[in-house]
Amino acid sequence: MYLTTCFISLNAMAQQDSLLNDFVEIKSGEHHFYISKYAITREQYNDFLELWGEHKNLTDEQGELPVLVNKEDAERYLEHISDTYLTHFRLPSETEWELAAKGTTTPKKAKEIRCVDCTKPNENGLYGMLGNVWEWTSTSEPKENDRYFVIKGGDFQERAKDLSPKTRFVVSKDMEDMNIGFRPVANTHDFETTLHINRANTIVKVLLPNEDITIYEHDMQVEEFYMGYGDTPPEGFPITVDEDTHQIVLCCLQNFEYEQEGALETERITYIGLPFGFDPSQLSLAKELEQLVRQIMENQNH
């Protein structure tokens, strides 16, 4: 029987959170990625610090302001949410940041830092790209340098005429005394796989609310068993919907049997499909689940 050890929290995989809903797709030429609509807030960063007992008491107003951090602390946070959502989040390159900032109009000059969604969105649906806080990028200057990096966007202290998507400055990654925030970026393949997995697990909970089933990128968990997609027979598929009996069939657990003929050992494999009945009125959801798992599998091969 195919078993594997899983070190990832089941709750983390199935988790539905506003963070993923706050990303927009940017596609321009050879560049294709997802980027957050908003800079990371002090409240979001404070939740991260709470894991180490370092959090601060914030008012609601303070919590909605962009967090100001050095590059290392920004990357610590990105590593944390990467582990939480099983998707690689990173800082944007300077080019990616500029593509995302396209169509941003210069906001009216402010006296202080504003909340992350206090300005109008640009044509890509992103907020606060210019004139609120600088934002970290992954672009070093000079190239191959591991100390100085480009920041973009300008903060509220800059003159409005000096602000555009091309506005840039170069600072040490340890810079602490400037208004520098950040927003996450994810590669298209990673991000869309995570969306498919989260949607698939949401559907599973609706269709089979009394079953302990979780969909992952490379396998699925059914109670205490883990079934790897790559171990299904060529004619089989991890999830198949039987429209006549209104069953979802999960395939495949494997039974291994050995026959010894003198010194010869023969392996026989039996594939076992596990059927689960669902409400006939939810057939469209079941078919969507089947298609989502197909997309997850296809993403593995690209």
Side-chain angles (χ1 to χ4, degrees):
M1 191 169 286
Y2 176 80
L3 301 176
T4 187
T5 304
C6 181
F7 299 97
I8 300 168
S9 165
L10 300 183
N11 291 332
M13 177 61 77
Q15 184 177 4
Q16 292 294 306
D17 189 277
S18 61
L19 178 77
L20 297 180
N21 296 328
D22 286 342
F23 278 71
V24 297
E25 182 181 16
I26 305 294
K27 191 172 185 179
S28 179
E30 63 182 16
H31 297 281
H32 191 191
F33 57 94
Y34 283 79
I35 186 169
S36 176
K37 296 178 184 178
Y38 313 107
I40 294 299
T41 66
R42 295 180 183 180
E43 180 181 14
Q44 289 172 310
Y45 195 80
N46 207 41
D47 290 342
F48 159 64
L49 292 179
E50 191 170 3
L51 298 173
W52 286 271
E54 302 174 12
H55 69 288
K56 302 175 182 178
N57 293 323
L58 300 174
T59 65
D60 291 343
E61 184 177 350
Q62 291 172 330
E64 291 305 308
L65 298 177
V67 68
L68 307 178
V69 292
N70 62 32
K71 184 172 180 288
E72 180 180 354
D73 286 342
E75 290 175 335
R76 284 177 58 211
Y77 178 85
L78 295 175
E79 182 178 351
H80 164 68
I81 62 172
S82 295
D83 291 341
T84 300
Y85 294 96
L86 308 181
T87 297
H88 177 57
F89 291 102
R90 57 181 175 79
L91 294 172
S93 68
E94 181 176 14
T95 299
E96 288 172 332
W97 195 97
E98 289 183 3
L99 290 172
K102 183 179 179 182
T104 304
T105 56
T106 305
K108 293 181 179 179
K109 189 172 178 59
K111 295 181 180 179
E112 56 188 11
I113 296 173
R114 292 159 290 194
C115 64
V116 296
D117 61 353
C118 284
T119 59
K120 293 182 179 179
N122 67 8
E123 63 183 47
N124 286 321
L126 276 66
Y127 293 75
M129 295 294 282
L130 297 178
N132 195 25
V133 296
W134 292 93
E135 295 187 7
W136 287 107
T137 76
S138 62
T139 299
S140 59
E141 190 165 296
K143 291 182 180 179
E144 308 298 329
N145 188 293
D146 64 354
R147 181 169 179 80
Y148 295 97
F149 289 84
V150 175
I151 56 175
K152 299 289 291 182
D155 65 14
F156 71 95
Q157 300 175 96
E158 306 296 324
R159 297 181 300 178
K161 68 177 184 178
D162 294 333
L163 296 177
S164 80
K166 294 292 184 181
T167 300
R168 70 197 299 268
F169 199 63
V170 177
V171 298
S172 167
K173 64 182 180 182
D174 302 320
M175 180 62 69
E176 297 277 6
D177 57 353
M178 282 184 67
N179 298 317
I180 313 175
F182 68 103
R183 68 183 71 215
V185 161
N187 296 334
T188 301
H189 172 276
D190 294 341
F191 191 81
E192 291 183 351
T193 296
T194 295
L195 292 181
H196 294 331
I197 290 171
N198 280 6
R199 175 61 179 167
N201 281 300
T202 298
I203 293 175
V204 166
K205 298 306 179 188
V206 173
L207 291 176
L208 308 172
N210 298 319
E211 305 296 339
D212 183 13
I213 299 171
T214 305
I215 306 298
Y216 295 99
E217 182 176 4
H218 300 288
D219 56 17
M220 73 179 83
Q221 168 255 332
V222 183
E223 297 180 350
E224 72 271 27
F225 302 115
Y226 288 84
M227 301 188 290
Y229 301 153
D231 292 311
T232 58
E235 67 273 19
F237 184 70
I239 293 183
T240 302
V241 176
D242 188 324
E243 298 186 30
D244 295 326
T245 63
H246 296 103
Q247 289 183 323
I248 295 176
V249 182
L250 306 184
C251 176
C252 293
L253 293 176
Q254 303 173 8
N255 280 346
F256 295 91
E257 297 180 2
Y258 298 90
E259 295 180 354
Q260 291 187 351
E261 300 175 3
L264 178 65
E265 189 175 81
T266 303
E267 179 182 285
R268 294 189 305 177
I269 301 176
T270 304
Y271 294 96
I272 306 172
L274 303 178
F276 295 89
F278 62 88
D279 188 323
S281 67
Q282 296 178 322
L283 176 60
S284 61
L285 270 182
K287 297 296 289 183
E288 182 183 352
L289 176 62
E290 183 182 39
Q291 183 58 36
L292 282 167
V293 176
R294 288 186 185 275
Q295 291 174 314
I296 293 168
M297 289 184 68
E298 288 173 1
N299 281 350
Q300 292 181 42
N301 299 321
H302 289 84

